[in-house]
Structure formats: C-alpha cells, structure tokens
Amino acid sequence: MGVLNKQNSVVVILAVVLLFSRAWASNTMLMFVGEDLDVLSIASKKEEAAWSAPAIADVITREDISKRGDLTIAQALDGVTGFYIEKNEKGSVPFLRGIADSILFLYDTVPMGSGVQKSDHMIDREISLAPVKRIEVIRGAGSVLWGPDAFAGVVNVVPMTGRDFQGIQTGVIGSTQDREKGGYLNFGTDQGTWASFLSVSALSAKEDDKDLNLIRFWNDGITPEPIDTRFGSGSPDTSHSIEFYGNFSLGHWLTLSAKVSDSKKAFAVSDWNHDYSWEESVSSPARIFKVEASKELDMDSGIRFTGYYSQIRSVYEIVDAGFSQEETSAFGELIYDRSVFTSTGLLTLGSSWRQDRYEDIPVFQSFYPEFFVVENTFVVPVIDPFDFANELISVFGQYRHKFDRLELWAGARHDNHEQYADKTSYSLGAAYSFSDYILKSLYGTAYRAPFAKQLDESKGGNLEQISSLNFQLSWKTGNNKAALTFFRNEIDNHVIEDRYVGAGLSTPNSQTIEGVELEYNLRLTEDFKVSGNLTLLDTKGPPETYLYNDFSFIDDAGNVIKNFQELNYDYDPGAEIMFKAMAAWNITKNIVLVPEVKYVSERTLFYPLQDVTKTYDDIWLADVNLLVTDLFPFDLGIHFKNIFDSRHNIPGFYSIDKHDGFSAAVVLKMKW
C-alpha cells in the first residue's frame, strides 16, 4: 500500500466516512447474533458477531481446536492470519504483523503472563485448552478498551460455563512430541437460575532430552563453583502443568470464577559454540479470582462491573540457582452502556482502577553465558533484583452509531499512571455494508508498558507507541466468507530486548510496517471445506542499536568506568511472508480428515555478540488430522504433525537450535 503519514491517516478515514455518509436511516443495532459461532467480546466489551464488530477480528472455536489437535494456545494461533509463532528452547515467541511480544494475552479478560518480562506469555503448556470455549483475536491497536500492552493486537481465551456444557467429559492425551501425556475432567450443570462449571487438568512432558555438561556454577553466589565440581553429565527435568478452573453464574447478572495453576518448564540451553550445555527452568504458580456483575437500569441502559485479583510467583532456575519474582494485580472496572436515538446509537463509558506490584524482578546486568567458561574461577554475573509498584486510573468511552448501511464509531481512553508517563489512546472507524460485503476502515493508537530493565533504570521513560491504520473488505454468504485487509503500523520509541539478554534494551527508534492479509473459508460441497490465509509484510526502519558493556575498569579515583560497544542488527519481523492452506473433508458423518500446509519465508538474523549474520531457509510444514466422533463410546483424534519431518534451523537463546521433527498424538474424549 502507498506511504501514508500520521496526518494523512485521519484524513483518509474521514474521506471514507464522507464517501458513504449518503446512507441515513433508522435501524436497530444488532450487537449479538445468537447462533453465530464467530462471536467475540473484546471489540466492544460486549458479545457481538466478529463479522460486524468494530475491529479486524478472528475467532478460533472449540471445534477448530479439536479438528486441528491443538494442545496449546500457541499451537491454536500458529497459522492464524498475521501470526508467526517461533519456537526456542524456552517456548513460543509470538509475532503479530511483524512485531514480537506485542500482544495482550487475556484469560477471560484477565491479563496473563508477566507485565514486565515481555517474553513470558504463558501460551504453551502452562494453560490448558480443556475448558476453553473459544479464542478471540483482534489484529490492530486495542488500548482504548484494554489499556497498556494491547499493542499489535489482543487475544482473549474464553472458558466455558455451565450454560455452554452440561454433564461430565473426561479426556486423555498422548503425544510422541516431548513424550507428552495428560488428562482432564470437565463438569458443567445448568439449573436455570444458576449454572456452574469445573475443569481439572494435568500433563507432563520431557521438553528436552539433550545431554548437559554444566551442572553446577553459582556456588555461594559470590564466586563460581570450582572447576573440578562444575562439570558432569545430566539431562533436564520433566516439565509438568496442573490447572483448576471453575465458575458459578447466578442468572445472567453475577459470575464468580477462579483459576489456580502450577507449571514447570525445564529445558536445555547451549552457548554459541555448543561447548557448554546447562539446564534452565521456569516454575509459574498462578491464581486468578474474578467477579462480574451487571444490572439493567432501564430498557435502554445498564451497568457492568468487573473485578479481579491475580498473582504469579515465578522461579527462574539457571544451572543450580533459582531467582524468584512475584507479580500481583488488583483491578476494578465499571462500565455504563446506553442505547440512544431509537437504539441506533450505543454509548459505552467506563472507568477502571488497577494496582500492579512487582517484587524481586531479576535484571541481568551482564551476559551470563560468558561467565561459564573454564577460565572464569572468580566472578559470577551481576543480577539486580528490584521492586516496583504502579497504580493506574483510567477513563474511557466509545460511541457507535448505525445508519442504514453505515456504522461509525469513535473512542478514547486516558491512562493516569503513578510511576510513568500518562497516555491517551484513540480509535476511529467506519463500516459500510452492501449486498454480501462489508468495508471497514479503522485507525487506532496503543502503547506498551515498560520492560523490567526500563523500570529498573529510569522508571519508565518514553513509552513505546503505535498508530495502526486498517482497511478491510469482507465478503460473506452462507457458510462462505473471505476478507482482504491492508494495514500500516507506525511505531515510535521502539524498544526491544536483544535475544541474548546480555546487551539489554535497544536504543529507541522508529519502525514502519505495512502489510496485506488475505483470508478465506469456503464450503465447496456439503462435505468438503477449504480455508487459509496469506500475509505479506514490508518493514521500513533503522537497525536495532544496543550499547553492550563489554568491559569495565576502576579509575584512579575509585570510580567504576564502563566501556560500551555499539551493536547493530536489522529489525526482525519474524517472517515477511506467511501462508496457510487447510481442508476439512467429512468422509462420513462421523469421520473428518483435516490436512494442513503452512509456509514461512526465509529470515535473516544478526547475532551481535558473535558478529554473525545467519539466514534461515524458508519452511514448508504439513500436518494431517483425523477426527472420529459418535462412532465409539468416545471421540478419537489422531494428529500427525510435521509429516515431512522438517528439522529446520531456528534461532535459539544463545545458539542455533532445531525445530521439532515428526510427531504423532492421540486424544480420547468421552462424555458421561
């Protein structure tokens, strides 16, 4: 798409509004389509059809998850339009529209993962899909409704309630990938005036079976372990995850829910030359308690309240030392909705309060693999834990007005932070429907809260900001639909953590990302359906620049003088071309075959501390899934992943790693 600056962005949207403003008539706003499976709640904090929502939206249904054999959130998102999910030793690194670690992940609208460690997402085995009803996705800035970190998009994992599922369902899972095995139990009941749902799940996996040779290092925390006891042999521990989720609903006005989980991910890590291999692990006990209440004030208005308390206590283990941290959040939000102008307008006003506390957050001041060498017998890496608290008070509003075929909306939010810069976010859009088509034009802004190292050094500084412009033409008739989207993201004060951790944060710069997205879902016959998408990206901006403290010395006055080396490497969008094609063939009423092909273009990375530029080849992956339902006393899913056994190179923490090869999984489900 052509080059547009910030001023032109608003002008273009206003032009679209004027172009279609000839339509002017009264019509009732349809905010929710009861039987539409593509329902989401994060575009307006109110359930509505994704097709007509004021956002570029996707919905991954429970049926989609079952057919593809997805066992994690990362697997469910891999192949969704605009997403590239990269794997490293620790887990999944999500890119959306060319921006890494840029998504606000929610579980039932509660943020999950770390607020200051941007690469800790909890989208792998930490979260069970057993109780999940759907996964909602918005591509584009979302800070007006969701505040900090709704940067390139928002993903909301929606669990089931007793009104969605009644009875008892048990399931077992076994996979050759990481020797994963697990099981779950779901229970739901709907008694009319009240309903409840409960899910319990557990799994274990051998994330990595590489040989380890560095088994001790930290000793007393002042000097390293002696050479004669530092080395040996071993392998990483077994990873595990246990989760409890439950909710209780009283009528349609009160819902109480709780989620308690404990997980550990253990994996092997190597230095660049693979001379040293050691174990790292992340343990993340977490809990969420939430209350939702709503009340109609009259026929045209109502209020809604949401409150939650969340806590994550994480322990990072590196070789033989553990570094613990704790993050807690308390949140309350009140929203007022009112229909106006004979229900053709919808006004949403809200205010929220949030308090975040971070305790013992570790910030590495040096590149610790450099300390593991045999020659080092005196020094351990410098780690500065810090405490931090922030109180956030927000006010926001959004207005939507429906004419005959035209809908307009606008929104704004002001976030008042106690510890760092206040921010105001905006959204503006128009949608015009004609025949089986809908044309959407959207503009929005968002920002990211600071990284841990930013908080430790400057209490925030200038926050990273994005402005997002989107145009989408969608077509839908019956079970067939397609969409073509053009977007442009402009990022200011762009800051990212280097993949080595040691060089810290990049110096702020600006990046521009333009792209085209094509997606389709077509039912060719009664028993055969095809779907897929294509994403093309183009990035413009300067290289990422880091100041790496390669050595320090003490001058004659006793001052510590740090010498910094400037390191540069190109901006990393993940992949600039992504393609997915999938078919679903109902062989019989009870048997569905789902083959899938994915393509990811080549990418080039520069490893600054090694002064190495590495180009990774493009990737073709193919999966085959078979689902059998209502034929046995149980449902059977057989899933073959990476059937061509493509063990391509991928960027690891400190070295080059290999992607998982062929794997097979079996999922059995039985409802009682």
Side-chain angles (χ1 to χ4, degrees), residues 488-504:
R488 177 185 174 90
N489 290 331
E490 293 185 348
I491 310 174
D492 294 323
N493 295 317
H494 174 64
V495 175
I496 194 168
E497 290 178 307
D498 74 301
R499 57 190 321 110
Y500 275 93
V501 182

Side-chain angles (χ1 to χ4, degrees), residues 599-617:
Y599 170 80
V600 178
S601 63
E602 70 174 22
R603 53 185 304 216
T604 300
L605 287 180
F606 179 57
Y607 293 81
L609 297 186
Q610 300 297 332
D611 194 22
V612 172
T613 299
K614 181 68 178 178
T615 298
Y616 297 88
D617 294 334

Side-chain angles (χ1 to χ4, degrees), residues 532-553:
N533 59 71
L534 171 68
T535 302
L536 305 175
L537 302 177
D538 181 41
T539 61
K540 301 180 180 69
E544 305 290 348
T545 300
Y546 298 88
L547 298 177
Y548 173 57
N549 179 204
D550 52 356
F551 66 87
S552 303
F553 63 92

Side-chain angles (χ1 to χ4, degrees), residues 314-511:
S314 301
V315 178
Y316 296 85
E317 291 185 319
I318 302 172
V319 191
D320 57 339
F323 306 92
S324 62
Q325 69 177 52
E326 182 174 325
E327 300 184 29
T328 59
S329 294
F331 175 85
E333 178 181 76
L334 188 65
I335 292 178
Y336 171 76
D337 292 310
R338 182 170 186 84
S339 295
V340 295
F341 301 118
T342 321
S343 297
T344 58
L346 178 65
L347 176 66
T348 300
L349 300 174
S351 180
S352 65
W353 169 88
R354 176 173 167 176
Q355 186 175 72
D356 298 316
R357 293 188 177 275
Y358 309 101
E359 298 181 11
D360 298 324
I361 307 297
V363 176
F364 284 81
Q365 302 296 343
S366 49
F367 177 54
Y368 62 80
E370 288 187 340
F371 290 78
F372 293 161
V373 297
V374 176
E375 296 80 9
N376 176 34
T377 58
F378 299 104
V379 185
V380 297
V382 177
I383 302 171
D384 291 335
F386 77 99
D387 298 340
F388 183 83
N390 180 57
E391 186 175 72
L392 169 63
I393 298 175
S394 306
V395 292
F396 58 90
Q398 178 174 272
Y399 179 71
R400 300 171 62 179
H401 198 97
K402 178 78 171 179
F403 300 101
D404 182 17
R405 296 182 178 275
L406 175 68
E407 183 177 4
L408 306 178
W409 62 86
R413 179 191 188 99
H414 182 71
D415 292 325
N416 187 338
H417 291 278
E418 179 185 26
Q419 292 292 342
Y420 44 89
D422 297 346
K423 284 296 172 186
T424 301
S425 306
Y426 305 96
S427 66
L428 181 67
Y432 181 76
S433 302
F434 54 100
S435 185
D436 297 325
Y437 297 88
I438 183 168
L439 177 65
K440 294 181 183 180
S441 176
L442 306 95
Y443 174 79
T445 64
Y447 69 99
R448 274 204 277 205
F451 289 81
K453 194 171 181 64
Q454 285 176 287
L455 293 174
D456 182 47
E457 293 180 346
S458 62
K459 300 299 184 238
N462 293 322
L463 300 183
E464 191 176 0
Q465 302 177 77
I466 190 171
S467 59
S468 179
L469 178 66
N470 296 265
F471 295 98
Q472 183 183 73
L473 177 64
S474 301
W475 166 78
K476 183 178 181 181
T477 177
N479 294 315
N480 299 314
K481 57 184 178 180
L484 178 65
T485 306
F486 299 89
F487 70 87
R488 177 185 174 90
N489 290 331
E490 293 185 348
I491 310 174
D492 294 323
N493 295 317
H494 174 64
V495 175
I496 194 168
E497 290 178 307
D498 74 301
R499 57 190 321 110
Y500 275 93
V501 182
L505 300 173
S506 65
T507 57
N509 62 30
S510 298
Q511 298 289 338

